[in-house]
């Protein structure tokens, strides 16, 4: 495979930038985003410490994944019945332009958020498992591998990358590319039993 067939960027947790929410009611930690002022995708972590409204991101699709804490109830639009995101049901996808209000179940939570530009790309967010797994990425695909372990190993193009807790590997492909992910449970001590990583796949529409 030619070196130009894909691009690999390692993002380290120590370099992430904290910033206020768009609505000023909390803080987020930006992990990475696509180039340009009007991003095509953005990955971030949010610390939610109180009940309140989510920011308006009209024009973006959004997926919310619970990382830490008991969970949160999400009220979407005018719905009176909440969608509960907790340790047994961690993922919730919704339109970023919807009115969303969150109510904490029991104390603060930390969540991972991926947002992508509608009509440009689509995305899928999937919690990893403790077993090794091989991902095959097609052309025009971006993979974001977010580590929840201190010692996640990734085999890619004959090279092994080691990710610390909250590090992220970004892979952009112009041709089919194979990535093997090996959780710390197979290579050493595991920090987050059951969910060693999160894989986000972004595909051009």
């Amino acid at each position: 495979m030619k070196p130009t067939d894909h691009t690999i960027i390692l993002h380290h947790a120590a370099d992430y930038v904290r910033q206020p929410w768009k609505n000023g009611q909390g803080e987020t930690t930006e992990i990475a985003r696509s180039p340009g002022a009007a991003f095509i995708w953005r990955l971030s972590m949010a610390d939610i410490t109180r009940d309140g409204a989510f920011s308006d991101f009209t024009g973006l699709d959004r997926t919310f994944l619970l990382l830490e804490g008991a969970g949160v109830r999400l009220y979407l639009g005018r719905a009176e019945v909440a969608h509960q995101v907790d340790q047994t049901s961690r993922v919730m996808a919704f339109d970023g332009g919807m009115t969303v209000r969150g109510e904490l179940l029991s104390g603060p939570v930390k969540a991972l958020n991926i947002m992508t530009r509608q009509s440009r790309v689509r995305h899928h967010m999937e919690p990893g498992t403790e077993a090794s797994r091989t991902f095959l990425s097609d052309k025009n695909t971006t993979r974001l591998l977010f580590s929840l372990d201190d010692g996640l190993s990734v085999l890619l193009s004959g090279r092994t990358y080691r990710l610390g807790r909250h590090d992220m590997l970004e892979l952009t492909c112009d041709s089919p590319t194979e990535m093997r992910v090996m959780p710390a449970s197979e290579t050493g001590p595991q920090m987050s039993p059951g969910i060693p990583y999160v894989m986000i796949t972004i595909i051009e529409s």
Side-chain angles (χ1 to χ4, degrees):
M1 181 176 292
K2 298 178 181 178
T4 54
D5 285 342
H6 59 264
T7 301
I8 300 168
I9 303 174
L10 283 176
H11 302 268
H12 297 287
D15 299 327
Y16 300 158
V17 177
R18 294 183 67 85
Q19 54 190 244
W21 285 3
K22 188 177 176 182
N23 65 9
Q25 294 186 20
E27 280 192 331
T28 192
T29 299
E30 183 169 286
I31 299 167
R33 65 164 67 194
S34 61
F39 61 82
I40 304 301
W41 60 263
R42 189 186 83 164
L43 182 66
S44 63
M45 283 187 294
D47 291 298
I48 304 176
T49 59
R50 59 180 178 175
D51 299 346
F54 282 30
S55 299
D56 179 5
F57 284 99
T58 298
L60 299 170
D61 289 321
R62 184 171 181 176
T63 300
F64 174 102
L65 184 145
L66 180 69
L67 293 176
E68 299 174 11
V72 59
R73 296 184 190 91
L74 299 181
Y75 292 86
L76 306 182
R78 298 181 179 180
E80 296 182 2
V81 178
H83 297 268
Q84 183 160 305
V85 182
D86 55 28
Q87 293 291 330
T88 59
S89 181
R90 291 176 176 266
V91 183
M92 181 71 194
F94 52 93
D95 188 316
M98 294 187 71
T99 300
V100 180
R101 185 175 184 278
E103 291 183 357
L104 296 170
L105 297 183
S106 178
V109 301
K110 184 184 292 290
L112 189 67
N113 286 277
I114 179 68
M115 294 189 289
T116 55
R117 188 76 53 187
Q118 294 170 356
S119 79
R120 296 290 301 275
V121 295
R122 63 187 188 277
H123 73 262
H124 175 69
M125 177 184 276
E126 177 184 3
T129 66
E130 296 180 26
S132 291
R133 181 174 172 184
T134 298
F135 295 87
L136 181 62
S137 300
D138 245 328
K139 66 177 183 178
N140 302 324
T141 299
T142 297
R143 294 270 195 184
L144 307 177
L145 176 65
F146 182 73
S147 176
L148 295 174
D149 279 350
D150 189 10
L152 187 73
S153 296
V154 183
L155 181 61
L156 184 58
S157 298
R159 178 178 174 183
T160 300
Y161 297 85
R162 193 172 178 85
L163 277 62
R165 184 170 174 80
H166 292 172
D167 289 346
M168 194 267 282
L169 185 147
E170 176 185 345
L171 169 68
T172 302
C173 305
D174 293 325
S175 67
T177 304
E178 190 173 274
M179 175 197 295
R180 185 161 181 79
V181 182
M182 295 166 284
S185 57
E186 297 188 3
T187 59
Q190 189 175 13
M191 301 294 291
S192 301
I195 305 180
Y197 64 89
V198 179
M199 178 67 80
I200 300 102
T201 306
I202 302 170
I203 304 171
E204 291 185 12
S205 298

